[in-house]
Every structure is written in structure tokens, then in C-alpha cells.
Amino acid sequence: MASAQVTGSTVDRVRTGPPAGRSGRARDWAEIQERMLVPLYQDVYRRLDVGAATSLLGVGCRSGLALLLAEGRGAQVAGVEPDGGLRELAAARGLQVAPGGGAGALARSAHPVPRPAHSLVTVFERPPTPALIAWSAERTLPGGQLVVASWGPAERCESAAVLEVARRHAPLAAPDPFAAAGPGVLGALLASAGVRPSESGRVSCPFAYAGLDSAVRGLLSTGLFDPAEEAAGDAPVAAELAEALRPYLRPDGSVRMVNEFRWAAGTRPRT
């Protein structure tokens, strides 16, 4: 059984070279960025008592760290992820991850998931749109739980100033990472999919990096800057991102930003 021992504020010291470019984004996510959300995963799993009786499906699971943490608690885990590079990294970790549709199109995927329904379905790392939540609810067993998560309010996230770089250059139709941050929004999304909201939480997820270069790589690997890069070009966005990160440089050269993430869970009715 695979396992993971990490913390959300762990500083990445694996790679210190320049940004890897789009071809290296999947590995940048796995090596730098995904650990930043560990406090979120752990809070959900603790509150929902994830363990040997849990069959968990991670929707948009990326390279699978959240699945590894649930597996370490005894859960049976599987995932769905549209990005081929991220699926390869998840498979290298011994995880079963099915393809979805194109990026952002999981809700329209015709690919089968490893089993038809699960006792817990999580949407940690994809924007929680109504279509995606409805698709995920259909893969939740009656009596099972569905969890959705998002950034907290911009005023409680130091990374909001950095994400402004993406907003300035992205088309107007680009997703807003803070769209679900308002009071009750996540619960309303669950209710719209026929899931009864039951629990919620707020979690501090510090984003900590060894240096400016790794911070740029990590943030670009989230996909939040993709529309901006398509509109303005990769190099200008990376340069502007690096400049926006400078206020968060620490005396030792590391970068640290404090952020809040929020989650909500609901139960799919049995009838």
C-alpha cells in the first residue's frame, strides 16, 4: 500500500532550476504544489472519519496525493483525471485513475470510473461548477457523501494578489477561483445536485516554496494561469507572476503566503 508523509507547509527543495514550461507542469504540480493542500485533505478525512469502510473517488484528482492520504487511512481509493501527464504520475504511485474528458470537461466524460458509485466522492482540485457537482453526485452511493472545496474569500488569501496576474490577462469568461468563496455557496451547489449539506470547514493552507523560481513553477502548475498564458504568452505571465510574488519573499529567500480554503460535505438521499 502506498503512503505519504507530508505537510501543507513543507518547503519544496527538490528542484531549483527555471520554470519547466508547459511540458513539465504535471511534474511541477506533483513535486511542488500539491502538498500545499494537505491540511485541507486531512481536515476532511478526519471530520468524515475516512477509513477502512470508505470507498473514495477523487474527481479531478490530478497526481493523486489526496488519494494516497486516504489510502493511508485504510480507504479503497480511485480517481478520475483528464490530464494524461498527471494520470501517469498517479499510476506511478500505484493508483487507479481513469481518464476524464478534456480539461474542465470531467462532467461530460464518457469514460467509466473504476466502479459505478462510492461512499465518498471528493472534488478538491477542480472549480466546483454545477455540472461537475451533478456528475459527481451521480457517482455517490445513496447515503454516501460528496465533498466540494474552494478557495476562501480573497481577503483571507494572500495568494489573491498573485492570482490577480491571471485575472488581468485572462478572457472575461475565464473561471474565477474565488467564485465559490461566499457564505453558503458550496452548500448551495451541493443542494442543487440533490445532495443534503451536512458539514463544512475552513482550513489554513500556507503556500510555501524554497524560492521564487519554485513558487512560479508551482503556481503555474495549478492551471489557474493557463487562460492568461494563452492570451498574453507564457514568458510575460511568468515574469509578471515572479514580480507579484516578491512581497512574499522571506529573508532566507523562500516564499510563503497564508491562504484559507473552505469545504462542504453533503449526503446523497437514500430515496
Side-chain angles (χ1 to χ4, degrees):
M1 177 182 295
S3 63
Q5 298 292 329
V6 292
T7 64
S9 59
T10 298
V11 175
D12 171 69
R13 299 190 182 275
V14 177
R15 304 166 67 192
T16 56
R22 295 202 185 193
S23 63
R25 294 284 167 83
R27 189 159 295 280
D28 281 345
W29 170 268
E31 294 183 351
I32 301 173
Q33 189 65 30
E34 69 177 346
R35 70 191 69 184
M36 309 304 175
L37 297 182
V38 165
L40 169 65
Y41 310 148
Q42 291 178 329
D43 189 58
V44 170
Y45 295 162
R46 177 183 58 82
R47 292 272 301 275
L48 300 186
D49 197 25
V50 169
T54 306
S55 167
L56 186 151
L57 176 68
V59 176
C61 65
R62 299 181 74 87
S63 52
L65 179 56
L67 296 181
L68 285 180
L69 292 171
E71 190 177 58
R73 297 174 66 97
Q76 299 177 13
V77 302
V80 181
E81 170 54 48
D83 184 272
L86 290 167
R87 285 200 310 276
E88 288 181 9
L89 292 173
R93 290 169 158 174
L95 296 167
Q96 186 180 16
V97 177
L106 277 168
R108 300 191 296 274
S109 173
H111 292 278
V113 296
R115 56 187 290 176
H118 299 255
S119 64
L120 175 62
V121 177
T122 59
V123 185
F124 284 135
E125 293 148 358
R126 294 282 167 184
T129 63
L132 182 56
I133 301 310
W135 188 90
S136 302
E138 292 174 357
R139 283 142 186 89
T140 307
L141 285 167
Q145 293 176 299
L146 173 61
V147 174
V148 294
S150 78
W151 289 81
E155 62 270 20
R156 298 186 66 85
C157 297
E158 290 185 332
S159 293
V162 175
L163 295 176
E164 179 67 13
V165 173
R167 191 198 67 78
R168 281 199 298 271
H169 294 291
L172 291 176
D176 176 5
F178 300 102
V185 175
L186 293 176
L189 281 168
L190 291 171
S192 71
V195 175
R196 290 196 300 264
S198 57
E199 297 190 56
S200 62
R202 302 179 182 185
V203 188
S204 176
C205 292
F207 282 16
Y209 308 92
L212 199 58
D213 287 339
S214 63
V216 170
R217 286 203 311 272
L219 288 163
L220 290 177
S221 75
T222 64
L224 294 172
F225 294 84
D226 287 0
E229 289 182 311
E230 290 165 8
D234 293 6
V237 170
E240 194 169 335
L241 176 56
E243 190 62 30
L245 284 163
R246 290 191 183 280
Y248 305 101
L249 275 168
R250 297 161 72 89
D252 64 357
S254 65
V255 176
R256 182 179 173 88
M257 296 173 286
V258 176
N259 299 298
E260 180 182 283
F261 280 75
R262 296 185 174 184
W263 62 270
T267 302
R268 182 179 179 184
R270 294 183 183 276
T271 57

